[in-house]
Amino acid sequence: MKFLDQAKIYLKSGDGGRGCVAFRREKYIEFGGPNGGDGGKGGSIYFTAVENLNTLIDFRYQQHFKAQNGQHGMGSEMTGAKGEDIIIKVPVGTEIVADDGETVIADMVEAGQTFMIAKGGDGGRGNTRFKTSTNQAPRYAEPGWPGVEMWVWLRLKIIADVGLIGLPNAGKSTFLSAVTKARPKIADYPFTTLHPNLGVAWVDNKEIILADIPGLIEGAHDGVGLGDRFLKHVERCSVFLHLIDATDEHYVKNYKIIRKELELYERNLASKPEVVALNKIDSLTPEEIKKKVAAIRRVTKSPVFAISAISGQNTLDCLREISKSVPLRHKKVDPNEEIIITQPQEVVKKPWSPLD
């Protein structure tokens, strides 16, 4: 399934039905009079957030949503039928933005959240409603009220606990595939990742959702590369895991580049908790690792780990440090079994025992 995180759609709620002008005329009935019914209300348009969606690809094939109009009123004081509502399902984390591209109308951040964006028009009143002691045979009724029409943007911002950031080829996709069951594309060339990937890791009975976004480069906040489009996906993260290629001779400069891009894109991003991981240490000697870790610690106050995503070295310690900044909002595992992470690619289960 192709990933799509932005779409523009047209919405039109239903018009209200017209009121009816009618009179009761029956043989042998002494008193007649007006008996026109009201028009039915037009259908409304709702958005609801659901968990089983993770892309806006459906809106590439349908961009127009029009709710049903209310039926006109009828004689015998019969009210017209109400127009059928439209419920549009969107992934959790979708922002509904006005046509100007800036005004946020609603933010669908919880599963089951429902928002009425376009109310259906009210039905017009029939001539029965206008009968008075001085006007006993009104010959007019109200037209139905028009519905609401608008264009809106849908922008998906992935909800994850941890955002994996770094330059291209820093090993983000490899790390994600090592600690979760996600299988992102991995290759030895830049920008292998073209859209965000999600994975779930368990650390000490705590669920952590990780998001891998395409690699950032200098100027990403201005739209250079793919970063400007996908930086929004880490806005909701609780903590960043900043991966650095330890085999690159400019590793300190690379760290500063990403930090600068975060600050230029949005200052709140730069203030989020961060864990720094020097990746690919399996290609370095112990002396080189010690030297590079010390150099990174001189330019950051964040915890620094030397890891190898491909071999699993120190990745568990890194995940435990990350989990300290992740809120306990996800359900825990079944208490009848304990999960112990021995290696990032291996999960060993043992029966729970009251003696443990």
Side-chain angles (χ1 to χ4, degrees), residues 76 100 102 110 159 174 181 215 250 287 322 324 328 335:
S76 302
D100 60 9
E102 297 179 358
E110 295 181 0
I159 295 181
T174 303
K181 292 185 178 181
H250 303 296
E287 292 76 15
I322 292 170
K324 295 178 182 178
L328 284 170

Side-chain angles (χ1 to χ4, degrees), residues 8-125:
K8 188 176 183 180
I9 61 174
Y10 171 81
L11 307 175
K12 172 67 168 67
S13 61
D15 298 333
R18 184 179 63 248
C20 176
V21 176
F23 293 89
R24 182 180 179 187
R25 297 184 180 90
E26 296 182 42
K27 191 175 183 181
Y28 306 119
I29 299 297
E30 183 177 1
F31 299 102
N35 68 348
D38 300 338
K41 182 179 179 181
S44 301
I45 299 180
Y46 296 83
F47 281 103
T48 185
V50 295
E51 289 183 315
N52 59 345
L53 292 177
N54 54 16
T55 177
L56 300 175
I57 189 64
D58 292 340
F59 300 102
R60 172 162 291 182
Y61 308 106
Q62 183 180 1
Q63 293 89 29
H64 294 77
F65 296 85
K66 297 181 180 180
Q68 190 178 27
N69 294 333
Q71 291 187 2
H72 303 316
M74 293 170 282
S76 302
E77 298 186 10
M78 291 190 292
T79 301
K82 179 182 180 298
E84 187 175 351
D85 295 334
I86 290 180
I87 299 177
I88 304 174
K89 296 179 180 180
V90 295
V92 176
T94 301
E95 278 186 348
I96 304 170
V97 184
D99 192 23
D100 60 9
E102 297 179 358
T103 306
V104 177
I105 300 174
D107 196 0
M108 314 297 286
V109 295
E110 295 181 0
Q113 180 180 348
T114 301
F115 175 73
M116 183 175 71
I117 189 169
K119 182 180 178 181
D122 292 328
R125 293 179 292 176

